[in-house]
Amino acid sequence: MNALQLVWKDTRMVVLTALSAALYAAILIPFKILPIIPGVTEIRPANAIPIVTSILFGPAGAWGSAFGNLIGDFFLGLGPGSLVGMVGNFLFGFVPYVFWRAMFGSALPESGRSSHWAGLMFVCLVASAACAFTIGWGIDVIIKGVPFAILGPIIFFNNFLMAAILAPPLLFALLPRVRRWGLLYTQILPEEATRRPRFAWVGVILMTVGSVGGLGGGLAVATGLYDQHLGVPKFFQAFRNVIAPPVVAPVPSAVPVPSMTHSRSAPAVSTAAASRTPTGTAVTAAAPAAPHRLGLGLATLPGLLLIALAMFFL
C-alpha cells in the first residue's frame, strides 16, 4: 500500500504512470469498433499491457491501468460504469506486480524457467478474476446494468486469454531494455517499498480466494445454480420483497368451452379454462418474479471484503 502512495512523490514514477495509461488507451481505442457488448466492453488485445507494465513499473502500472481504461471510456461516453471500470482495471494492474513480488521476490521473469511461466499464468488468472468480479458486481448490483451472469464471464475470458497469450512475449522483449534504462520500479523506489512484505502470502491467499471465489460464487448465484433466495438471510426477505415485490399475472375470466356438437372445428380454448380445477377455480401460473440483486450483492460481499483486506498484506 505504501508503494501506491510513493508513486506520486517521484517524478519518474508519475511519468511511468502516464506512459502506462497512454499505452493502454492507445491500444484500447481502435478496438472500440469491435464491441462484444456495445457500450460496455469490446475485444481487448490491450489487456496484455497492464500485466506487462505492472511487473515492469510496479504501482505505476496499476495506476496507469486505471487511468488508461478511463481515457478509453471517453470514446464511448463517460458514466457511472466508468468508475466501476476504473476500480476493476486498477486491480487488474495491481495484482501482477504484488503477486510476482510475493512469489519470486526481486527475481525478474525469465523465459527459460517453467516456474516463471506458471507464475505468469497464475498472475493473469487472478488479475482477470479480480477485474471481472469487481466490474461485473458493480455494473449489475450498483448500476443495475448488464447482468453479472453475462458480463462476468465475458470480462474474465477476454482479459485472461489476451493477457496469457500476448503478455509473456511482450514482457520478455521489453524487460532487458527497461532494465538497461533503469526504469524498473525496483530501480526507482526505495528498498523498503519494493521488498517482499512479511505476510505477503496471506495477501495472495486472500486475493485469490476473494477474486476467484467471488467470481465463481457470483456466477453460481446469478445463473441460478445456487438459489439466491437461500443466500439471503431471513431478516432480509421482507426488505427484498419491498424492493422487488413479486409480480402476479391477473386471473383472466373463464371462457366457456363450446360444445363439439355445434361446430365441426372448435375454437381455441383459453388457458384459464383449460386449467380449471374440479371446484371451478381457474389456476394461473404466476409471472416470474421481478429480477432483484440483493441476493447476488450479499452472496458476493465476502469476496469484495477479502480483496480489500488482501491489499493491506500486499
Side-chain angles (χ1 to χ4, degrees):
M1 291 293 289
N2 183 44
L4 292 174
Q5 300 170 4
L6 289 178
V7 167
W8 308 110
K9 298 179 180 180
D10 189 292
T11 303
R12 288 174 296 176
M13 294 299 288
V14 173
V15 171
L16 290 177
T17 298
L19 176 64
S20 300
L23 184 59
Y24 192 24
I27 302 178
L28 279 176
I29 293 168
F31 287 90
K32 295 291 183 182
I33 63 174
L34 300 175
I36 299 176
I37 301 177
V40 179
T41 190
E42 64 284 332
I43 297 176
R44 294 167 66 109
N47 286 337
I49 300 301
I51 305 296
V52 174
T53 56
S54 178
I55 294 178
L56 294 178
F57 306 143
W63 289 116
S65 178
F67 289 119
N69 188 78
L70 186 65
I71 295 171
D73 280 357
F74 273 107
F75 290 82
L76 289 177
L78 295 178
S82 300
L83 296 178
V84 175
M86 194 173 180
V87 174
N89 278 271
F90 173 82
L91 289 174
F92 191 48
F94 174 77
V95 167
Y97 101 87
V98 293
F99 268 43
W100 188 269
R101 184 180 62 183
M103 293 185 295
F104 300 105
S106 60
L108 296 173
E110 297 179 17
S111 59
R113 296 185 60 177
S114 57
S115 60
H116 284 191
W117 277 94
L120 284 174
M121 294 301 105
F122 179 62
V123 159
C124 292
L125 175 72
V126 179
S128 299
C131 182
F133 174 43
T134 51
I135 294 179
W137 188 93
I139 295 293
D140 190 356
V141 176
I142 298 178
I143 301 178
K144 298 177 174 57
V146 181
F148 185 92
I150 297 174
L151 188 57
I154 288 177
I155 294 177
F156 172 75
F157 286 109
N158 197 11
N159 283 16
F160 177 70
L161 292 177
M162 294 297 178
I165 294 172
L166 300 177
L170 184 60
L171 174 64
F172 294 133
L174 291 177
L175 180 57
R177 295 167 175 81
V178 173
R179 177 172 50 186
R180 188 164 56 249
W181 297 333
L183 294 178
L184 294 174
Y185 79 98
T186 53
Q187 296 173 309
I188 299 175
L189 295 179
E191 183 182 355
E192 61 270 16
T194 61
R195 63 187 175 204
R196 182 187 319 183
R198 184 177 181 182
F199 296 104
W201 60 272
V202 177
V204 169
I205 293 173
L206 292 177
M207 182 67 76
T208 303
V209 173
S211 302
V212 179
L215 179 62
L219 289 176
V221 171
T223 58
L225 181 63
Y226 175 72
D227 186 2
Q228 62 179 333
H229 291 272
L230 299 178
V232 182
K234 290 184 178 179
F235 57 88
F236 278 116
Q237 294 288 343
F239 178 63
R240 185 194 59 206
N241 291 333
V242 171
I243 296 176
V247 178
V248 180
V251 179
S253 58
V255 179
V257 181
S259 172
M260 293 295 294
T261 59
H262 297 290
S263 174
R264 296 181 61 185
S265 59
V269 181
S270 72
T271 304
S275 59
R276 293 175 63 88
T277 63
T279 60
T281 304
V283 177
T284 57
H292 61 272
R293 296 169 171 87
L294 182 60
L296 174 63
L298 291 174
T300 54
L301 185 59
L304 295 174
L305 295 177
L306 288 178
I307 290 175
L309 183 61
M311 296 183 69
F312 290 96
F313 291 95
L314 293 169

